Amino acid sequence: MTEKVVIIGSGPAGLTAAVYTARADLRPLMIEGMERGGQLMLTTDVENYPGFPDGIMGPELMESFRKQAERFGTRIMSSDVTRVDFAQRPFKIWVDEDEYAAESVIISTGASARWLGLESESKLRGHGVSACATCDGFFFRDKEIAVVGGGDSAAEEALFLTKFASKVYVIHRRDELRASKIMAKRVLEHDKIEVIWDSVVEEVLGSDVVTGLRLRNRVTGKETRLDVEGLFLAIGHDPNTSIFQGTIDLDAKGYIVTGDNTMTSVPGVFAAGDVTDHIYRQAVTAAGMGCQAAIDVERWLNEQEN
Ligand code: NAP
């Protein structure tokens, strides 16, 4: 059986595309991935999604998206796509050995947290090193910890971690935060947070658990030791496009390139959300793009029939 549309990924973009394609009678099949719901599953309060004046928890918001998609008949499979072939139509999509055929595809696989790339960091991952404050913050009650990064994610993580930690250091490689003004202000004014400017982590110290960090000041070159028991990375994200390499055009950073609408370099394959957007990267913009992709798919399928 050939599906009319297969949606790969289940964050705000994918689930919005599902709602729209389902309501357009395209009976979407969503392969949601093992990290169902995407990055909002790892956040706490979402304060800027319109329609929720008091805020909403990220996982709760995604559960609502999912229910809405299912209400209109979206079929959801909880697996990771392992391989695709977009060379000819119908397109082929594999989940391990199982093959699916599709007339059109919407890619909404999002982006994942970036790591520093230090050997000591990977060694101590899960033993004090984390990229998810909401997942692991709880383990650092009354402890001193550090967050690396200067953007909104770093600000959000640092503020969230003050609920548990006795002190939160924000280590930023420049002398100015990239975070939005409101978030930066909250960080700078928080009495539990101290920003360490112009500095990078050279090494995570500790053999079984994190005991400290070796920092280097990029201006003076001076190295110092910071005694902390946890390290949280919040240095941005990379698009989840490894399985699409060689099948559609990606830019130098690996983001999917789209044209005038959400269509990729392969007609019939569309992309929406963080997997193609390195500028806005908001839940609401991802959802908007998911809607656009669904409308683009519907029109494109109609054109193929006529
Ligand atoms: P980001 O804005 O790209 O910031 C990444 C930060 O990490 C930057 O400060 C960057 O330094 C630093 N960095 C990158 N690579 C590094 C490395 N190897 N070593 C040390 N530092 C490194 O990413 P983000 O904070 O994840 O935010 C992404 C998008 O999501 C943004 O558009 C943001 O507004 C949005 N967002 C919004 C909210 C909210 O509204 N509540 C929350 C989270 C995220 P430089 O500044 O020197 O580049």
Side-chain angles (χ1 to χ4, degrees):
M1 171 190 161
T2 301
E3 303 288 345
K4 280 200 178 326
V5 56
V6 169
I7 301 170
I8 309 175
S10 58
L15 286 168
T16 304
V19 169
Y20 273 77
T21 49
R23 293 189 78 256
D25 258 350
L26 297 177
R27 288 193 34 80
L29 172 67
M30 168 174 277
I31 306 179
E32 68 175 354
M34 299 308 280
E35 288 170 29
R36 135 181 184 185
Q39 294 176 68
L40 279 192
M41 300 300 277
L42 307 177
T43 57
T44 46
D45 279 327
V46 180
E47 292 181 337
N48 50 12
Y49 200 89
F52 299 92
D54 302 320
I56 181 166
M57 301 301 275
E60 200 185 329
L61 180 62
M62 293 326 296
E63 207 43 48
S64 303
F65 268 66
R66 199 171 187 272
K67 272 196 199 134
Q68 196 171 350
E70 284 184 314
R71 182 183 150 202
F72 298 110
T74 305
R75 292 156 298 143
I76 302 182
M77 279 178 50
S78 304
S79 334
D80 279 332
V81 168
T82 43
R83 191 158 61 95
V84 295
D85 182 351
F86 297 153
Q88 54 198 19
R89 295 203 292 266
F91 304 121
K92 288 182 191 148
I93 296 161
W94 283 270
V95 172
D96 298 320
E97 297 310 312
D98 297 334
E99 184 183 317
Y100 298 85
E103 287 174 38
S104 69
V105 176
I106 297 175
I107 301 171
S108 50
T109 46
S112 297
R114 203 179 280 159
W115 299 86
L116 292 172
L118 302 170
E119 207 183 301
S120 53
E121 171 198 50
S122 47
K123 192 183 85 183
L124 290 166
R125 205 183 279 187
H127 300 276
V129 176
S130 167
C132 177
T134 24
C135 316
D136 302 323
F138 182 76
F139 303 117
F140 295 89
R141 198 171 284 282
D142 299 324
K143 294 185 173 162
E144 300 208 350
I145 56 179
V147 174
V148 181
D152 276 323
S153 297
E156 197 174 67
E157 303 242 316
L159 289 163
F160 174 74
L161 288 166
T162 59
K163 292 186 194 173
F164 310 100
S166 54
K167 170 116 192 178
V168 179
Y169 294 95
V170 172
I171 301 163
H172 185 34
R173 62 184 178 182
R174 291 188 298 128
D175 61 356
E176 189 189 11
L177 294 177
R178 176 184 295 281
S180 56
K181 282 208 173 70
I182 181 168
M183 296 293 276
K185 188 165 179 278
R186 284 185 200 164
V187 165
L188 297 172
E189 287 178 356
H190 202 290
D191 57 7
K192 274 192 183 175
I193 300 180
E194 181 180 332
V195 183
I196 301 180
W197 303 104
D198 293 319
S199 297
V200 289
V201 176
E202 290 282 296
E203 189 185 354
V204 187
L205 306 169
S207 45
D208 304 324
V209 291
V210 174
T211 54
L213 305 172
R214 182 159 59 85
L215 303 182
R216 182 172 55 83
N217 185 297
R218 295 176 70 215
V219 178
T220 63
K222 200 176 148 204
E223 292 202 350
T224 48
R225 183 191 159 110
L226 182 70
D227 289 328
V228 287
E229 292 179 66
L231 174 67
F232 288 84
L233 286 313
I235 58 171
H237 294 83
D238 291 313
N240 296 321
T241 50
S242 53
I243 55 166
F244 306 113
Q245 249 158 26
T247 62
I248 49 174
D249 287 355
L250 306 178
D251 72 11
K253 288 182 175 169
Y255 288 87
I256 296 175
V257 177
T258 54
D260 293 339
N261 58 15
T262 58
M263 188 132 83
T264 67
S265 56
V266 175
V269 178
F270 299 78
D274 285 15
V275 75
T276 177
D277 166 30
H278 53 90
I279 299 174
Y280 302 106
R281 297 182 291 186
Q282 304 299 305
V284 66
T285 51
M289 248 188 275
C291 162
Q292 286 173 283
I295 292 172
D296 291 339
V297 159
E298 195 189 347
R299 288 188 183 152
W300 184 83
L301 287 173
N302 279 340
E303 280 166 20
Q304 306 312 301
E305 282 169 14
N306 298 328

